[in-house]
Amino acid sequence: MARVPKEFHYVFQEADPKQLDTERDSEPIMETILEEGPLEGVHWLRKTFGDEQIKQFIITKGRHTLSAMKIVGK
């Protein structure tokens, strides 16, 4: 069980980041970091979840929940 690093806690407004588990809460963690987090957070996501899991999240759920500007990288 891994936790969200302290340097990214500030982006979690709707959840207590100390209680988030990367296995159980992978989707809300990815959604929050991709939408609100810094570039370093995306690097952490890639190390933690891998590109394929992030890609699948964006295809299945993120395309409905992430803002369009974030998805296209503008």
Side-chain angles (χ1 to χ4, degrees):
M1 165 169 57
R3 301 283 184 195
V4 175
K6 288 181 184 180
E7 63 261 31
F8 308 126
H9 283 194
Y10 73 95
V11 299
F12 291 89
Q13 303 298 316
E14 297 183 21
D16 180 359
K18 295 176 196 162
Q19 300 300 315
L20 294 174
D21 172 84
T22 56
E23 289 183 36
R24 181 189 68 220
D25 305 309
S26 62
E27 290 180 0
I29 291 170
M30 285 189 272
E31 180 179 351
T32 301
I33 295 287
L34 289 171
E35 186 70 30
E36 304 294 335
L39 183 58
E40 294 82 12
V42 176
H43 293 300
W44 173 77
L45 286 179
R46 292 182 74 194
K47 285 186 223 169
T48 303
F49 299 109
D51 291 341
E52 188 59 34
Q53 187 174 351
I54 296 167
K55 176 183 169 185
Q56 288 306 311
F57 165 75
I58 292 170
I59 290 169
T60 60
K61 301 217 168 119
R63 66 189 177 103
H64 300 292
T65 61
L66 297 174
S67 67
M69 296 278 290
K70 299 289 181 167
I71 292 174
V72 296
K74 294 190 179 200

